[in-house]
PDB file of all heavy atoms in Angstrom:
ATOM      1  N   ALA A  16       0.838  -1.207   0.000  1.00 98.00           N
ATOM      2  CA  ALA A  16       0.000   0.000   0.000  1.00 98.00           C
ATOM      3  C   ALA A  16       0.871   1.254   0.000  1.00 98.00           C
ATOM      4  O   ALA A  16       0.629   2.193  -0.770  1.00 98.00           O
ATOM      5  CB  ALA A  16      -0.929  -0.011   1.207  1.00 98.00           C
ATOM      6  N   TYR A  17       1.908   1.258   0.849  1.00 98.00           N
ATOM      7  CA  TYR A  17       2.792   2.433   0.872  1.00 98.00           C
ATOM      8  C   TYR A  17       3.545   2.573  -0.449  1.00 98.00           C
ATOM      9  O   TYR A  17       3.668   3.678  -0.999  1.00 98.00           O
ATOM     10  CB  TYR A  17       3.794   2.353   2.022  1.00 98.00           C
ATOM     11  CG  TYR A  17       4.851   3.418   1.874  1.00 98.00           C
ATOM     12  CD1 TYR A  17       4.553   4.756   2.121  1.00 98.00           C
ATOM     13  CD2 TYR A  17       6.131   3.102   1.394  1.00 98.00           C
ATOM     14  CE1 TYR A  17       5.502   5.748   1.914  1.00 98.00           C
ATOM     15  CE2 TYR A  17       7.082   4.090   1.189  1.00 98.00           C
ATOM     16  CZ  TYR A  17       6.765   5.413   1.448  1.00 98.00           C
ATOM     17  OH  TYR A  17       7.700   6.389   1.231  1.00 98.00           O
ATOM     18  N   TYR A  18       4.057   1.470  -0.967  1.00 98.00           N
ATOM     19  CA  TYR A  18       4.799   1.503  -2.234  1.00 98.00           C
ATOM     20  C   TYR A  18       3.950   2.135  -3.332  1.00 98.00           C
ATOM     21  O   TYR A  18       4.414   2.991  -4.087  1.00 98.00           O
ATOM     22  CB  TYR A  18       5.212   0.087  -2.617  1.00 98.00           C
ATOM     23  CG  TYR A  18       5.880  -0.033  -3.970  1.00 98.00           C
ATOM     24  CD1 TYR A  18       7.239   0.179  -4.124  1.00 98.00           C
ATOM     25  CD2 TYR A  18       5.125  -0.359  -5.107  1.00 98.00           C
ATOM     26  CE1 TYR A  18       7.847   0.072  -5.364  1.00 98.00           C
ATOM     27  CE2 TYR A  18       5.721  -0.475  -6.354  1.00 98.00           C
ATOM     28  CZ  TYR A  18       7.085  -0.261  -6.477  1.00 98.00           C
ATOM     29  OH  TYR A  18       7.677  -0.356  -7.719  1.00 98.00           O
ATOM     30  N   ARG A  19       2.686   1.736  -3.426  1.00 98.00           N
ATOM     31  CA  ARG A  19       1.817   2.221  -4.490  1.00 98.00           C
ATOM     32  C   ARG A  19       1.382   3.666  -4.245  1.00 98.00           C
ATOM     33  O   ARG A  19       1.208   4.436  -5.202  1.00 98.00           O
ATOM     34  CB  ARG A  19       0.614   1.296  -4.640  1.00 98.00           C
ATOM     35  CG  ARG A  19       1.029  -0.127  -5.012  1.00 98.00           C
ATOM     36  CD  ARG A  19      -0.156  -1.074  -5.077  1.00 98.00           C
ATOM     37  NE  ARG A  19      -0.959  -0.795  -6.254  1.00 98.00           N
ATOM     38  CZ  ARG A  19      -2.285  -0.740  -6.242  1.00 98.00           C
ATOM     39  NH1 ARG A  19      -2.953  -0.913  -5.113  1.00 98.00           N
ATOM     40  NH2 ARG A  19      -2.946  -0.500  -7.346  1.00 98.00           N
ATOM     41  N   ALA A  20       1.202   4.044  -2.984  1.00 98.00           N
ATOM     42  CA  ALA A  20       0.878   5.442  -2.676  1.00 98.00           C
ATOM     43  C   ALA A  20       2.043   6.348  -3.031  1.00 98.00           C
ATOM     44  O   ALA A  20       1.858   7.447  -3.575  1.00 98.00           O
ATOM     45  CB  ALA A  20       0.520   5.586  -1.202  1.00 98.00           C
ATOM     46  N   ASN A  21       3.255   5.911  -2.755  1.00 97.00           N
ATOM     47  CA  ASN A  21       4.440   6.690  -3.083  1.00 97.00           C
ATOM     48  C   ASN A  21       4.648   6.754  -4.594  1.00 97.00           C
ATOM     49  O   ASN A  21       5.023   7.794  -5.143  1.00 97.00           O
ATOM     50  CB  ASN A  21       5.660   6.076  -2.406  1.00 97.00           C
ATOM     51  CG  ASN A  21       6.921   6.895  -2.613  1.00 97.00           C
ATOM     52  OD1 ASN A  21       6.987   8.056  -2.238  1.00 97.00           O
ATOM     53  ND2 ASN A  21       7.936   6.286  -3.213  1.00 97.00           N
ATOM     54  N   LYS A  22       4.373   5.650  -5.272  1.00 96.00           N
ATOM     55  CA  LYS A  22       4.510   5.609  -6.729  1.00 96.00           C
ATOM     56  C   LYS A  22       3.566   6.586  -7.407  1.00 96.00           C
ATOM     57  O   LYS A  22       3.885   7.140  -8.469  1.00 96.00           O
ATOM     58  CB  LYS A  22       4.231   4.182  -7.219  1.00 96.00           C
ATOM     59  CG  LYS A  22       4.312   4.009  -8.723  1.00 96.00           C
ATOM     60  CD  LYS A  22       3.994   2.574  -9.135  1.00 96.00           C
ATOM     61  CE  LYS A  22       4.049   2.400 -10.650  1.00 96.00           C
ATOM     62  NZ  LYS A  22       3.741   1.008 -11.058  1.00 96.00           N
ATOM     63  N   ALA A  23       2.406   6.836  -6.806  1.00 96.00           N
ATOM     64  CA  ALA A  23       1.409   7.724  -7.415  1.00 96.00           C
ATOM     65  C   ALA A  23       1.950   9.127  -7.642  1.00 96.00           C
ATOM     66  O   ALA A  23       1.582   9.792  -8.612  1.00 96.00           O
ATOM     67  CB  ALA A  23       0.158   7.779  -6.541  1.00 96.00           C
ATOM     68  N   ASP A  24       2.821   9.595  -6.752  1.00 96.00           N
ATOM     69  CA  ASP A  24       3.409  10.930  -6.907  1.00 96.00           C
ATOM     70  C   ASP A  24       4.659  11.003  -6.044  1.00 96.00           C
ATOM     71  O   ASP A  24       4.671  11.607  -4.977  1.00 96.00           O
ATOM     72  CB  ASP A  24       2.405  12.019  -6.504  1.00 96.00           C
ATOM     73  CG  ASP A  24       2.839  13.399  -6.976  1.00 96.00           C
ATOM     74  OD1 ASP A  24       4.036  13.586  -7.250  1.00 96.00           O
ATOM     75  OD2 ASP A  24       1.970  14.293  -7.059  1.00 96.00           O
ATOM     76  N   ARG A  25       5.714  10.368  -6.536  1.00 94.00           N
ATOM     77  CA  ARG A  25       6.954  10.271  -5.766  1.00 94.00           C
ATOM     78  C   ARG A  25       7.543  11.633  -5.452  1.00 94.00           C
ATOM     79  O   ARG A  25       8.101  11.859  -4.377  1.00 94.00           O
ATOM     80  CB  ARG A  25       7.964   9.432  -6.561  1.00 94.00           C
ATOM     81  CG  ARG A  25       9.216   9.028  -5.820  1.00 94.00           C
ATOM     82  CD  ARG A  25      10.211   8.398  -6.782  1.00 94.00           C
ATOM     83  NE  ARG A  25      10.606   9.342  -7.810  1.00 94.00           N
ATOM     84  CZ  ARG A  25      11.558  10.257  -7.639  1.00 94.00           C
ATOM     85  NH1 ARG A  25      12.194  10.348  -6.484  1.00 94.00           N
ATOM     86  NH2 ARG A  25      11.862  11.089  -8.611  1.00 94.00           N
ATOM     87  N   LEU A  26       7.409  12.584  -6.388  1.00 92.00           N
ATOM     88  CA  LEU A  26       7.982  13.914  -6.183  1.00 92.00           C
ATOM     89  C   LEU A  26       7.259  14.670  -5.076  1.00 92.00           C
ATOM     90  O   LEU A  26       7.887  15.244  -4.183  1.00 92.00           O
ATOM     91  CB  LEU A  26       7.937  14.713  -7.491  1.00 92.00           C
ATOM     92  CG  LEU A  26       8.893  14.241  -8.596  1.00 92.00           C
ATOM     93  CD1 LEU A  26       8.658  15.053  -9.857  1.00 92.00           C
ATOM     94  CD2 LEU A  26      10.334  14.369  -8.144  1.00 92.00           C
ATOM     95  N   ALA A  27       5.935  14.696  -5.135  1.00 94.00           N
ATOM     96  CA  ALA A  27       5.174  15.436  -4.130  1.00 94.00           C
ATOM     97  C   ALA A  27       5.293  14.797  -2.757  1.00 94.00           C
ATOM     98  O   ALA A  27       5.168  15.479  -1.735  1.00 94.00           O
ATOM     99  CB  ALA A  27       3.710  15.534  -4.538  1.00 94.00           C
ATOM    100  N   ALA A  28       5.536  13.478  -2.717  1.00 95.00           N
ATOM    101  CA  ALA A  28       5.642  12.790  -1.430  1.00 95.00           C
ATOM    102  C   ALA A  28       6.870  13.218  -0.652  1.00 95.00           C
ATOM    103  O   ALA A  28       6.935  12.999   0.574  1.00 95.00           O
ATOM    104  CB  ALA A  28       5.674  11.282  -1.658  1.00 95.00           C
ATOM    105  N   PHE A  29       7.838  13.832  -1.302  1.00 94.00           N
ATOM    106  CA  PHE A  29       9.054  14.302  -0.624  1.00 94.00           C
ATOM    107  C   PHE A  29       8.686  15.317   0.459  1.00 94.00           C
ATOM    108  O   PHE A  29       8.070  16.340   0.190  1.00 94.00           O
ATOM    109  CB  PHE A  29      10.003  14.940  -1.645  1.00 94.00           C
ATOM    110  CG  PHE A  29      11.298  15.436  -1.071  1.00 94.00           C
ATOM    111  CD1 PHE A  29      12.374  14.583  -0.928  1.00 94.00           C
ATOM    112  CD2 PHE A  29      11.428  16.753  -0.661  1.00 94.00           C
ATOM    113  CE1 PHE A  29      13.574  15.043  -0.395  1.00 94.00           C
ATOM    114  CE2 PHE A  29      12.618  17.224  -0.129  1.00 94.00           C
ATOM    115  CZ  PHE A  29      13.696  16.365   0.006  1.00 94.00           C
ATOM    116  N   GLY A  30       9.047  15.010   1.700  1.00 94.00           N
ATOM    117  CA  GLY A  30       8.742  15.919   2.803  1.00 94.00           C
ATOM    118  C   GLY A  30       7.306  15.860   3.263  1.00 94.00           C
ATOM    119  O   GLY A  30       6.841  16.768   3.958  1.00 94.00           O
ATOM    120  N   GLY A  31       6.584  14.795   2.906  1.00 96.00           N
ATOM    121  CA  GLY A  31       5.178  14.711   3.262  1.00 96.00           C
ATOM    122  C   GLY A  31       4.923  14.038   4.591  1.00 96.00           C
ATOM    123  O   GLY A  31       5.842  13.658   5.329  1.00 96.00           O
ATOM    124  N   CYS A  32       3.640  13.913   4.894  1.00 97.00           N
ATOM    125  CA  CYS A  32       3.174  13.216   6.089  1.00 97.00           C
ATOM    126  C   CYS A  32       2.598  11.876   5.647  1.00 97.00           C
ATOM    127  O   CYS A  32       1.683  11.831   4.822  1.00 97.00           O
ATOM    128  CB  CYS A  32       2.111  14.046   6.810  1.00 97.00           C
ATOM    129  SG  CYS A  32       1.265  13.160   8.135  1.00 97.00           S
ATOM    130  N   ILE A  33       3.137  10.798   6.190  1.00 98.00           N
ATOM    131  CA  ILE A  33       2.712   9.445   5.834  1.00 98.00           C
ATOM    132  C   ILE A  33       1.866   8.884   6.969  1.00 98.00           C
ATOM    133  O   ILE A  33       2.310   8.846   8.120  1.00 98.00           O
ATOM    134  CB  ILE A  33       3.924   8.534   5.596  1.00 98.00           C
ATOM    135  CG1 ILE A  33       4.796   9.089   4.471  1.00 98.00           C
ATOM    136  CG2 ILE A  33       3.476   7.105   5.291  1.00 98.00           C
ATOM    137  CD1 ILE A  33       6.176   8.473   4.407  1.00 98.00           C
ATOM    138  N   ALA A  34       0.660   8.458   6.662  1.00 98.00           N
ATOM    139  CA  ALA A  34      -0.222   7.870   7.670  1.00 98.00           C
ATOM    140  C   ALA A  34      -0.570   6.449   7.258  1.00 98.00           C
ATOM    141  O   ALA A  34      -0.933   6.201   6.103  1.00 98.00           O
ATOM    142  CB  ALA A  34      -1.487   8.703   7.844  1.00 98.00           C
ATOM    143  N   LEU A  35      -0.469   5.535   8.201  1.00 98.00           N
ATOM    144  CA  LEU A  35      -0.709   4.118   7.967  1.00 98.00           C
ATOM    145  C   LEU A  35      -1.805   3.641   8.900  1.00 98.00           C
ATOM    146  O   LEU A  35      -1.809   4.004  10.078  1.00 98.00           O
ATOM    147  CB  LEU A  35       0.572   3.313   8.220  1.00 98.00           C
ATOM    148  CG  LEU A  35       1.847   3.857   7.572  1.00 98.00           C
ATOM    149  CD1 LEU A  35       3.074   3.141   8.127  1.00 98.00           C
ATOM    150  CD2 LEU A  35       1.776   3.699   6.053  1.00 98.00           C
ATOM    151  N   ASN A  36      -2.710   2.817   8.412  1.00 97.00           N
ATOM    152  CA  ASN A  36      -3.824   2.380   9.256  1.00 97.00           C
ATOM    153  C   ASN A  36      -3.591   1.016   9.905  1.00 97.00           C
ATOM    154  O   ASN A  36      -4.513   0.451  10.486  1.00 97.00           O
ATOM    155  CB  ASN A  36      -5.137   2.374   8.472  1.00 97.00           C
ATOM    156  CG  ASN A  36      -5.186   1.291   7.409  1.00 97.00           C
ATOM    157  OD1 ASN A  36      -4.171   0.690   7.060  1.00 97.00           O
ATOM    158  ND2 ASN A  36      -6.379   1.048   6.873  1.00 97.00           N
ATOM    159  N   ARG A  37      -2.382   0.497   9.789  1.00 97.00           N
ATOM    160  CA  ARG A  37      -1.999  -0.736  10.464  1.00 97.00           C
ATOM    161  C   ARG A  37      -0.662  -0.511  11.170  1.00 97.00           C
ATOM    162  O   ARG A  37       0.030   0.480  10.912  1.00 97.00           O
ATOM    163  CB  ARG A  37      -1.857  -1.896   9.471  1.00 97.00           C
ATOM    164  CG  ARG A  37      -3.109  -2.263   8.697  1.00 97.00           C
ATOM    165  CD  ARG A  37      -4.151  -2.934   9.577  1.00 97.00           C
ATOM    166  NE  ARG A  37      -5.220  -3.546   8.781  1.00 97.00           N
ATOM    167  CZ  ARG A  37      -6.306  -2.919   8.340  1.00 97.00           C
ATOM    168  NH1 ARG A  37      -6.464  -1.622   8.597  1.00 97.00           N
ATOM    169  NH2 ARG A  37      -7.235  -3.566   7.645  1.00 97.00           N
ATOM    170  N   GLU A  38      -0.284  -1.433  12.045  1.00 97.00           N
ATOM    171  CA  GLU A  38       1.024  -1.359  12.683  1.00 97.00           C
ATOM    172  C   GLU A  38       2.108  -1.264  11.614  1.00 97.00           C
ATOM    173  O   GLU A  38       2.124  -2.046  10.660  1.00 97.00           O
ATOM    174  CB  GLU A  38       1.262  -2.596  13.544  1.00 97.00           C
ATOM    175  CG  GLU A  38       2.636  -2.638  14.188  1.00 97.00           C
ATOM    176  CD  GLU A  38       2.880  -3.924  14.952  1.00 97.00           C
ATOM    177  OE1 GLU A  38       3.151  -4.956  14.295  1.00 97.00           O
ATOM    178  OE2 GLU A  38       2.789  -3.899  16.193  1.00 97.00           O
ATOM    179  N   CYS A  39       3.004  -0.301  11.766  1.00 98.00           N
ATOM    180  CA  CYS A  39       4.093  -0.133  10.807  1.00 98.00           C
ATOM    181  C   CYS A  39       5.099  -1.266  11.006  1.00 98.00           C
ATOM    182  O   CYS A  39       5.706  -1.388  12.069  1.00 98.00           O
ATOM    183  CB  CYS A  39       4.768   1.225  10.993  1.00 98.00           C
ATOM    184  SG  CYS A  39       6.103   1.536   9.815  1.00 98.00           S
ATOM    185  N   ASP A  40       5.272  -2.088   9.988  1.00 98.00           N
ATOM    186  CA  ASP A  40       6.203  -3.209  10.080  1.00 98.00           C
ATOM    187  C   ASP A  40       7.558  -2.811   9.508  1.00 98.00           C
ATOM    188  O   ASP A  40       7.738  -1.731   8.938  1.00 98.00           O
ATOM    189  CB  ASP A  40       5.643  -4.440   9.370  1.00 98.00           C
ATOM    190  CG  ASP A  40       5.235  -4.156   7.924  1.00 98.00           C
ATOM    191  OD1 ASP A  40       5.970  -3.427   7.228  1.00 98.00           O
ATOM    192  OD2 ASP A  40       4.176  -4.644   7.491  1.00 98.00           O
ATOM    193  N   VAL A  41       8.533  -3.699   9.666  1.00 98.00           N
ATOM    194  CA  VAL A  41       9.899  -3.393   9.265  1.00 98.00           C
ATOM    195  C   VAL A  41       9.995  -3.178   7.756  1.00 98.00           C
ATOM    196  O   VAL A  41      10.695  -2.271   7.295  1.00 98.00           O
ATOM    197  CB  VAL A  41      10.844  -4.523   9.729  1.00 98.00           C
ATOM    198  CG1 VAL A  41      12.223  -4.369   9.087  1.00 98.00           C
ATOM    199  CG2 VAL A  41      10.978  -4.522  11.253  1.00 98.00           C
ATOM    200  N   GLU A  42       9.301  -3.993   6.981  1.00 98.00           N
ATOM    201  CA  GLU A  42       9.361  -3.857   5.524  1.00 98.00           C
ATOM    202  C   GLU A  42       8.860  -2.486   5.076  1.00 98.00           C
ATOM    203  O   GLU A  42       9.474  -1.826   4.221  1.00 98.00           O
ATOM    204  CB  GLU A  42       8.546  -4.957   4.859  1.00 98.00           C
ATOM    205  CG  GLU A  42       8.649  -4.957   3.339  1.00 98.00           C
ATOM    206  CD  GLU A  42       7.888  -6.095   2.690  1.00 98.00           C
ATOM    207  OE1 GLU A  42       7.261  -6.890   3.423  1.00 98.00           O
ATOM    208  OE2 GLU A  42       7.907  -6.192   1.454  1.00 98.00           O
ATOM    209  N   THR A  43       7.746  -2.038   5.655  1.00 98.00           N
ATOM    210  CA  THR A  43       7.214  -0.715   5.307  1.00 98.00           C
ATOM    211  C   THR A  43       8.156   0.378   5.773  1.00 98.00           C
ATOM    212  O   THR A  43       8.393   1.357   5.058  1.00 98.00           O
ATOM    213  CB  THR A  43       5.821  -0.527   5.934  1.00 98.00           C
ATOM    214  OG1 THR A  43       4.966  -1.587   5.531  1.00 98.00           O
ATOM    215  CG2 THR A  43       5.207   0.802   5.508  1.00 98.00           C
ATOM    216  N   ALA A  44       8.715   0.234   6.974  1.00 98.00           N
ATOM    217  CA  ALA A  44       9.642   1.240   7.504  1.00 98.00           C
ATOM    218  C   ALA A  44      10.863   1.397   6.612  1.00 98.00           C
ATOM    219  O   ALA A  44      11.347   2.518   6.390  1.00 98.00           O
ATOM    220  CB  ALA A  44      10.061   0.857   8.919  1.00 98.00           C
ATOM    221  N   ARG A  45      11.363   0.301   6.084  1.00 98.00           N
ATOM    222  CA  ARG A  45      12.535   0.384   5.203  1.00 98.00           C
ATOM    223  C   ARG A  45      12.214   1.135   3.919  1.00 98.00           C
ATOM    224  O   ARG A  45      13.033   1.919   3.414  1.00 98.00           O
ATOM    225  CB  ARG A  45      13.039  -1.025   4.884  1.00 98.00           C
ATOM    226  CG  ARG A  45      13.781  -1.676   6.055  1.00 98.00           C
ATOM    227  CD  ARG A  45      14.173  -3.101   5.747  1.00 98.00           C
ATOM    228  NE  ARG A  45      14.934  -3.696   6.852  1.00 98.00           N
ATOM    229  CZ  ARG A  45      15.003  -4.986   7.099  1.00 98.00           C
ATOM    230  NH1 ARG A  45      14.339  -5.858   6.316  1.00 98.00           N
ATOM    231  NH2 ARG A  45      15.724  -5.445   8.106  1.00 98.00           N
ATOM    232  N   LEU A  46      11.014   0.922   3.384  1.00 98.00           N
ATOM    233  CA  LEU A  46      10.609   1.668   2.193  1.00 98.00           C
ATOM    234  C   LEU A  46      10.474   3.156   2.505  1.00 98.00           C
ATOM    235  O   LEU A  46      10.917   4.004   1.722  1.00 98.00           O
ATOM    236  CB  LEU A  46       9.278   1.123   1.667  1.00 98.00           C
ATOM    237  CG  LEU A  46       9.303  -0.262   1.031  1.00 98.00           C
ATOM    238  CD1 LEU A  46       7.881  -0.716   0.699  1.00 98.00           C
ATOM    239  CD2 LEU A  46      10.169  -0.284  -0.222  1.00 98.00           C
ATOM    240  N   ILE A  47       9.884   3.470   3.642  1.00 97.00           N
ATOM    241  CA  ILE A  47       9.722   4.875   4.040  1.00 97.00           C
ATOM    242  C   ILE A  47      11.083   5.542   4.205  1.00 97.00           C
ATOM    243  O   ILE A  47      11.292   6.694   3.803  1.00 97.00           O
ATOM    244  CB  ILE A  47       8.908   4.968   5.341  1.00 97.00           C
ATOM    245  CG1 ILE A  47       7.447   4.570   5.087  1.00 97.00           C
ATOM    246  CG2 ILE A  47       8.973   6.376   5.944  1.00 97.00           C
ATOM    247  CD1 ILE A  47       6.609   4.444   6.339  1.00 97.00           C
ATOM    248  N   ALA A  48      12.042   4.806   4.784  1.00 96.00           N
ATOM    249  CA  ALA A  48      13.362   5.373   5.069  1.00 96.00           C
ATOM    250  C   ALA A  48      14.163   5.663   3.806  1.00 96.00           C
ATOM    251  O   ALA A  48      15.173   6.371   3.865  1.00 96.00           O
ATOM    252  CB  ALA A  48      14.138   4.426   5.986  1.00 96.00           C
ATOM    253  N   GLU A  49      13.734   5.123   2.662  1.00 95.00           N
ATOM    254  CA  GLU A  49      14.428   5.410   1.408  1.00 95.00           C
ATOM    255  C   GLU A  49      14.187   6.832   0.934  1.00 95.00           C
ATOM    256  O   GLU A  49      14.911   7.337   0.064  1.00 95.00           O
ATOM    257  CB  GLU A  49      13.973   4.422   0.323  1.00 95.00           C
ATOM    258  CG  GLU A  49      14.416   2.988   0.568  1.00 95.00           C
ATOM    259  CD  GLU A  49      13.886   2.039  -0.488  1.00 95.00           C
ATOM    260  OE1 GLU A  49      13.166   2.517  -1.397  1.00 95.00           O
ATOM    261  OE2 GLU A  49      14.174   0.835  -0.408  1.00 95.00           O
ATOM    262  N   ASN A  50      13.159   7.486   1.478  1.00 93.00           N
ATOM    263  CA  ASN A  50      12.790   8.831   1.053  1.00 93.00           C
ATOM    264  C   ASN A  50      12.837   9.782   2.249  1.00 93.00           C
ATOM    265  O   ASN A  50      13.050   9.360   3.380  1.00 93.00           O
ATOM    266  CB  ASN A  50      11.380   8.822   0.450  1.00 93.00           C
ATOM    267  CG  ASN A  50      11.262   7.832  -0.687  1.00 93.00           C
ATOM    268  OD1 ASN A  50      12.004   7.917  -1.653  1.00 93.00           O
ATOM    269  ND2 ASN A  50      10.345   6.882  -0.565  1.00 93.00           N
ATOM    270  N   TYR A  51      12.617  11.056   1.968  1.00 94.00           N
ATOM    271  CA  TYR A  51      12.551  12.048   3.038  1.00 94.00           C
ATOM    272  C   TYR A  51      11.091  12.319   3.374  1.00 94.00           C
ATOM    273  O   TYR A  51      10.294  12.659   2.499  1.00 94.00           O
ATOM    274  CB  TYR A  51      13.231  13.354   2.619  1.00 94.00           C
ATOM    275  CG  TYR A  51      12.983  14.480   3.593  1.00 94.00           C
ATOM    276  CD1 TYR A  51      13.508  14.439   4.883  1.00 94.00           C
ATOM    277  CD2 TYR A  51      12.183  15.570   3.236  1.00 94.00           C
ATOM    278  CE1 TYR A  51      13.260  15.463   5.782  1.00 94.00           C
ATOM    279  CE2 TYR A  51      11.934  16.594   4.122  1.00 94.00           C
ATOM    280  CZ  TYR A  51      12.475  16.532   5.397  1.00 94.00           C
ATOM    281  OH  TYR A  51      12.215  17.541   6.291  1.00 94.00           O
ATOM    282  N   ALA A  52      10.742  12.150   4.635  1.00 95.00           N
ATOM    283  CA  ALA A  52       9.390  12.453   5.101  1.00 95.00           C
ATOM    284  C   ALA A  52       9.483  13.308   6.360  1.00 95.00           C
ATOM    285  O   ALA A  52      10.468  13.238   7.103  1.00 95.00           O
ATOM    286  CB  ALA A  52       8.613  11.170   5.391  1.00 95.00           C
ATOM    287  N   GLU A  53       8.470  14.098   6.593  1.00 94.00           N
ATOM    288  CA  GLU A  53       8.408  14.921   7.800  1.00 94.00           C
ATOM    289  C   GLU A  53       7.774  14.158   8.958  1.00 94.00           C
ATOM    290  O   GLU A  53       8.207  14.270  10.099  1.00 94.00           O
ATOM    291  CB  GLU A  53       7.592  16.193   7.535  1.00 94.00           C
ATOM    292  CG  GLU A  53       8.321  17.263   6.748  1.00 94.00           C
ATOM    293  CD  GLU A  53       9.153  18.167   7.647  1.00 94.00           C
ATOM    294  OE1 GLU A  53       8.848  18.262   8.846  1.00 94.00           O
ATOM    295  OE2 GLU A  53      10.106  18.781   7.125  1.00 94.00           O
ATOM    296  N   VAL A  54       6.720  13.393   8.658  1.00 97.00           N
ATOM    297  CA  VAL A  54       5.913  12.770   9.709  1.00 97.00           C
ATOM    298  C   VAL A  54       5.517  11.361   9.278  1.00 97.00           C
ATOM    299  O   VAL A  54       5.208  11.132   8.107  1.00 97.00           O
ATOM    300  CB  VAL A  54       4.625  13.599   9.985  1.00 97.00           C
ATOM    301  CG1 VAL A  54       3.755  12.914  11.028  1.00 97.00           C
ATOM    302  CG2 VAL A  54       4.972  15.015  10.423  1.00 97.00           C
ATOM    303  N   VAL A  55       5.543  10.440  10.236  1.00 98.00           N
ATOM    304  CA  VAL A  55       4.945   9.113  10.043  1.00 98.00           C
ATOM    305  C   VAL A  55       3.977   8.879  11.195  1.00 98.00           C
ATOM    306  O   VAL A  55       4.343   9.036  12.367  1.00 98.00           O
ATOM    307  CB  VAL A  55       5.991   7.991  10.010  1.00 98.00           C
ATOM    308  CG1 VAL A  55       5.305   6.624   9.929  1.00 98.00           C
ATOM    309  CG2 VAL A  55       6.940   8.165   8.836  1.00 98.00           C
ATOM    310  N   VAL A  56       2.747   8.533  10.855  1.00 98.00           N
ATOM    311  CA  VAL A  56       1.694   8.301  11.831  1.00 98.00           C
ATOM    312  C   VAL A  56       1.186   6.880  11.680  1.00 98.00           C
ATOM    313  O   VAL A  56       0.922   6.430  10.560  1.00 98.00           O
ATOM    314  CB  VAL A  56       0.523   9.296  11.640  1.00 98.00           C
ATOM    315  CG1 VAL A  56      -0.598   9.025  12.626  1.00 98.00           C
ATOM    316  CG2 VAL A  56       1.012  10.723  11.774  1.00 98.00           C
ATOM    317  N   ALA A  57       1.033   6.173  12.787  1.00 98.00           N
ATOM    318  CA  ALA A  57       0.498   4.813  12.758  1.00 98.00           C
ATOM    319  C   ALA A  57      -0.067   4.480  14.131  1.00 98.00           C
ATOM    320  O   ALA A  57       0.287   5.123  15.130  1.00 98.00           O
ATOM    321  CB  ALA A  57       1.578   3.808  12.360  1.00 98.00           C
TER     322      ALA A  57
END
């Protein structure tokens, strides 16, 4: 879900707020860490 949300607009996602509706797992965290984000909510 995160991969596809980021793919939708990778440029605009830079410095964005990422919200997840499930427990953030290690695989998702590693994908998030590949980019710059301001906020992660879960």
